[in-house]
Amino acid sequence: MTTPRTLLRQPGRYQVGTFIKTASPHVVEVLGTSRMDFAVLDAEHAPLDRAALDLMMLAGRAAGLPLLVRIPDKNPATILSVLDMGAAGLLVPHVDSVADAEAVVRHAKFRGGQRGFSGSPRFSGYGTLGMKQALTAGDQALVICQIEGPEAVAAAAAIAAVAGVDGLFIGRADLALAMGLEDSKHPDVSSATDRCIDAALKAGKLAGVFTASLAERDAYAAKGVNWFVFGSDQSLLRQSADASAHPAE
């Protein structure tokens, strides 16, 4: 078994991962051989059911690759299931208010929260950890809130300040749609994104964005962004295939 990467904040550097949208533990295993810091299983926008997530989490453990899950909803049962599987953290869509953030944290944490406890799942070593050790291990899972609408932008600083929230991830495409726009790079979206980045950094939390190019990643890194989701397994495969194919005629 390989040595797992360190997922938590590391001063002076940013971390890069990718979305995984293909229901295959082999994709996780292959990405585990790369230099990526983490990956996010996209259960919101990809056909990843509980059984697929469990197998992919198993592969992540074997490959030493921390796996977060972008959950499809904020249902307490969804949060519990993913964390019991051993997810390194949650990427939570549409966190629009302090109340939303507090509810997610409450259902994701044991101490000070309401997460249901069992010592038998993967996160607790299948019963090999004592209760105190298991509680500590479980509470290390990251909670990253997606900011995807004007209401959430207005509340970004307050959301970032919630105890147990580890970072903000700005969903620029949904943010654009919520603002009545059809361009995730519109100046108004960029301005709102910058406000959220600033809010996260001032709170000492992770500031995350999705990027699809190295130039965009570097531009946001210069602004202090320290947590990137770069493309997906699908886009990386397609781009590599295109780069390897015959030149277009």
Side-chain angles (χ1 to χ4, degrees):
M1 183 171 179
T2 59
T3 301
R5 298 151 174 81
T6 300
L7 184 58
L8 297 177
R9 293 182 293 278
Q10 298 181 34
R13 74 178 294 264
Y14 56 75
Q15 296 190 329
V16 180
T18 191
F19 280 123
I20 298 179
K21 297 174 179 286
T22 307
S24 169
H26 300 85
V27 170
V28 176
E29 187 177 31
V30 171
L31 286 173
T33 68
S34 75
R35 292 183 293 163
M36 285 195 163
D37 298 294
F38 65 91
V40 181
L41 306 181
D42 191 0
E44 182 188 20
H45 290 296
L48 304 179
D49 61 17
R50 189 177 184 186
L53 290 174
D54 189 55
L55 281 175
M56 295 166 80
M57 206 71 66
L58 184 65
R61 286 294 181 98
L65 180 67
L67 296 176
L68 292 86
V69 178
R70 178 154 71 174
I71 54 179
D73 56 63
K74 297 188 283 289
N75 189 304
T78 301
I79 293 172
L80 177 63
S81 174
V82 166
L83 293 179
D84 274 1
M85 290 179 196
L90 305 172
L91 186 56
V92 187
H94 299 288
V95 176
D96 296 323
S97 65
V98 168
D100 283 348
E102 289 176 339
V104 170
V105 170
R106 185 165 60 249
H107 295 303
K109 301 296 182 182
F110 292 119
R111 296 186 175 109
Q114 297 177 347
R115 176 179 168 185
F117 178 78
S118 169
S120 63
R122 182 179 294 118
F123 91 92
S124 58
Y126 298 108
T128 62
L129 298 180
M131 186 171 184
K132 289 184 178 179
Q133 285 180 296
L135 293 177
T136 298
D139 281 346
Q140 290 176 351
L142 298 179
V143 174
I144 300 178
C145 299
Q146 290 194 190
I147 306 298
E148 302 182 272
E151 180 184 353
V153 173
I159 292 171
V162 171
V165 168
D166 294 287
L168 304 182
F169 182 81
I170 302 91
R172 290 179 289 158
D174 278 328
L175 180 55
L177 290 174
M179 297 171 71
L181 303 169
E182 297 184 5
D183 179 6
S184 63
K185 297 182 181 179
H186 188 281
D188 290 349
V189 177
S190 297
S191 177
T193 299
D194 289 345
R195 287 175 57 192
C196 296
I197 292 169
D198 186 59
L201 295 176
K202 284 183 176 178
K205 305 295 178 71
L206 295 171
V209 298
F210 173 87
T211 61
S213 71
L214 294 175
E216 189 176 43
R217 183 202 65 188
D218 292 345
Y220 273 109
K223 294 182 178 184
V225 171
N226 50 19
W227 201 79
F228 290 96
V229 179
F230 190 96
S232 70
D233 59 325
Q234 295 174 350
S235 66
L236 293 173
L237 176 63
R238 185 184 65 252
Q239 290 164 10
S240 180
D242 279 345
S244 302
H246 293 292
E249 296 180 357

